[in-house]
Amino acid sequence: MGTVHARSLDPLPMQGPELGVQADDLDLGEPEQEEKQEVLENKDVVVQHVHIDGLGRTKEDILTYEVADVFRAKNLIDLMKKSHEARQKLLRLGIFRHVDVVIDTAEGVDALPNGLDVTFEVKELRRMTGSYNTMVGNNEGSMVLGLKLPNVFGRAEKLTFQFSYGTKETSYGLSFFKPQPGHFERNFSINLYKVTGQFPWSSLRETDRGVSTEFSFPIWRTNHTLKWEGVWRELGCLARTASFSVREESGHSLKSSLSHTMVIDTRNSTILPRKGALLKINQELAGYTGGDVMKLNISIFTTKVCCLTLMTGDYLGGEAYWAGGLHLYTPLPFRPGRGGFGELFRTHFFLNAGNLCNLNYGEGPRAHLSKLAECIRWSYGAGIVLRLGNIARLELNYCIPMGVQRGDR
């Protein structure tokens, strides 16, 4: 939560018990504590100055918006709350290693009897940070190198580069992030990337090289993202056993798409939430802004109840599909390690269902829905979930397929 320091308030005219006396002289009875708390909550104060110490390359104008509410505090308790909120906003910018708050009585010729000064003591991140790690998965080992330049131009901009060298494929990504001063939720980013994916069950290999731009902004309780993406896609076969459909789609294609995403997130944690919900609606329109791939993609995702996705267009393997899931997370049976290490684990029960089909556009919507409801694939299972701090979670699940169709893998 950080540190909030409030120094002596002796110069303030007060009523009630003296706050500047020694701790040994205080009567610590319950009535005295309630009276002193009432004095602190009702005491009017004026914030005269706000200082930010420790700045180097950061521009002060972008920080003014984040600490402006501190001047609106009416009493000491309100000031401490607003100072903590301002500290959280400063940390959210991603340019400071830590932020401390010091509240002191105002000094100088213009100091008021009830005037206070607030000082934010900050330490900036390094100009450049790097990371190195290895990853093993999908029958491939990779070495991942990362480079990050926070606060590039002094207004919370961020430049990130990541390079992955694997035993089978190589990928990279370069992104630039720029928030709007005073409105961190409104931000702009541009990305340049190359990503390769292998799908052995379909004998398919896909390489995407593209550029994308995103603009994010809030509206009421929702967050929206508008995105344009241009991709040069290359599809190929992994083995001679590839189906004719995969061979037919092999080669190069260009995709230009516009997408919109709306998110409502009230979860108390993104890793393993205990309460709240997530609703995510995404629409993608491809082919009308250039390129030779045309597609309309609409997906709806909600946590804790179900996951529903609906897609129409040119999709390898089928022209439409839907998928849904019901997940239940509970504490471990008999609660081993309750209040300690055992709180990091959860029992996971799930039920997944979905279907894939080709559409006859000469038929009506009812016929399309009927096809999507035929021979539904579904499965259920259980497992254990381990929360790895606030970064990620690890799942070990056992799945039992029930509804399958010929050719499924």
Side-chain angles (χ1 to χ4, degrees):
M1 179 176 176
T3 306
V4 178
H5 306 276
R7 297 180 180 172
S8 174
L9 297 180
D10 293 346
L12 298 180
M14 305 181 62
Q15 298 178 356
E18 175 64 35
L19 295 184
V21 299
Q22 299 296 323
D24 296 337
D25 299 332
L26 292 177
D27 182 6
L28 299 180
E30 187 66 24
E32 186 71 8
Q33 289 181 352
E34 293 180 356
E35 183 179 357
K36 293 170 69 174
Q37 181 179 1
E38 182 180 356
V39 170
L40 290 175
E41 290 179 351
N42 297 333
K43 187 61 185 179
D44 293 336
V45 299
V46 176
V47 178
Q48 294 190 254
H49 307 96
V50 174
H51 307 279
I52 303 179
D53 295 341
L55 296 181
R57 62 184 184 278
T58 305
K59 310 299 182 182
E60 292 187 2
D61 57 346
I62 190 175
L63 305 180
T64 303
Y65 299 98
E66 310 300 333
V67 301
D69 285 344
V70 175
F71 287 100
R72 300 184 178 94
K74 300 301 183 182
N75 54 63
L76 185 58
I77 300 300
D78 188 28
L79 174 59
M80 296 181 68
K81 292 180 179 180
K82 292 186 180 300
S83 297
H84 175 69
E85 293 173 356
R87 175 183 176 271
Q88 294 299 107
K89 292 180 180 180
L90 293 176
L91 290 173
R92 181 184 60 175
L93 296 176
I95 59 179
F96 298 121
R97 187 180 301 274
H98 63 77
V99 178
D100 290 334
V101 185
V102 176
I103 302 175
D104 200 358
T105 54
E107 298 179 354
V109 294
D110 60 341
L112 300 176
N114 61 340
L116 295 179
D117 289 347
V118 180
T119 302
F120 292 89
E121 299 176 351
V122 303
K123 184 176 181 180
E124 295 180 338
L125 293 174
R126 298 178 180 177
R127 292 182 177 273
M128 181 183 301
T129 60
S131 62
Y132 166 82
N133 58 76
T134 57
M135 298 178 60
V136 178
N138 297 326
N139 299 320
E140 180 182 10
S142 302
M143 176 184 66
V144 182
L145 301 176
L147 188 64
K148 183 184 297 184
L149 284 75
N151 207 15
V152 181
F153 303 115
R155 290 184 172 87
E157 303 89 353
K158 180 171 61 177
L159 184 65
T160 306
F161 175 76
Q162 183 169 298
F163 177 80
S164 175
Y165 180 79
T167 55
K168 297 181 179 179
E169 304 292 344
T170 300
S171 61
Y172 59 82
L174 178 66
S175 65
F176 176 76
F177 173 84
K178 168 67 176 176
Q180 179 181 342
H183 301 278
F184 187 80
E185 298 83 1
R186 299 178 185 175
N187 54 75
F188 171 81
S189 64
I190 183 170
N191 308 279
L192 179 67
Y193 63 89
K194 174 194 172 185
V195 179
T196 300
Q198 294 188 1
F199 310 93
W201 52 87
S202 299
S203 298
L204 174 67
R205 175 178 56 84
E206 179 178 353
T207 301
D208 294 345
R209 303 175 180 87
V211 60
S212 65
T213 58
E214 298 182 19
F215 177 63
S216 300
F217 55 95
I219 297 180
W220 194 45
R221 297 183 180 180
T222 63
N223 293 314
H224 298 257
T225 300
L226 296 176
K227 178 180 179 180
W228 173 84
E229 185 176 26
V231 185
W232 170 22
R233 303 193 302 183
E234 180 182 0
L235 301 180
C237 301
L238 287 177
R240 296 181 179 179
T241 57
S243 65
F244 180 77
S245 299
V246 172
R247 297 174 184 270
E248 187 179 23
E249 295 291 336
S250 296
H252 299 269
S253 61
L254 296 176
K255 173 189 172 184
S256 176
S257 64
L258 290 173
S259 64
H260 168 260
T261 303
M262 185 193 73
V263 178
I264 301 177
D265 192 355
T266 61
R267 299 172 298 171
N268 63 335
S269 172
T270 58
I271 304 301
L272 202 59
R274 292 177 177 268
K275 61 181 181 179
L278 168 66
L279 174 64
K280 184 177 182 180
I281 302 177
N282 179 75
Q283 311 95 33
E284 181 184 11
L285 181 63
Y288 295 90
T289 57
D292 51 13
V293 176
M294 298 187 67
K295 176 175 67 172
L296 173 64
N297 175 16
I298 301 176
S299 62
I300 303 175
F301 176 81
T302 176
T303 63
K304 299 185 68 174
V305 179
C306 65
C307 171
L308 175 63
T309 304
L310 177 63
M311 174 182 288
T312 61
D314 184 9
Y315 192 83
L316 187 60
E319 294 177 326
Y321 79 90
W322 66 270
L326 180 64
H327 301 261
L328 176 64
Y329 298 91
T330 65
L332 294 177
F334 310 110
R335 303 299 300 273
R338 184 173 184 176
F341 184 70
E343 297 297 329
L344 300 178
F345 292 87
R346 289 290 184 272
T347 307
H348 180 208
F349 302 95
F350 60 91
L351 173 67
N352 294 325
N355 206 359
L356 176 73
C357 71
N358 291 319
L359 301 178
N360 185 351
Y361 292 98
E363 302 175 349
R366 291 187 177 180
H368 297 165
L369 294 176
S370 178
K371 285 187 177 181
L372 287 172
E374 293 176 356
C375 301
I376 295 177
R377 290 120 159 146
W378 68 281
S379 62
Y380 68 93
I384 296 179
V385 180
L386 170 62
R387 179 168 60 89
L388 303 176
N390 292 322
I391 301 176
R393 70 183 187 186
L394 179 65
E395 294 190 16
L396 179 62
N397 296 314
Y398 183 77
C399 180
I400 303 176
M402 298 299 295
V404 296
Q405 293 189 22
R406 184 178 181 181
D408 290 347
R409 296 183 181 180

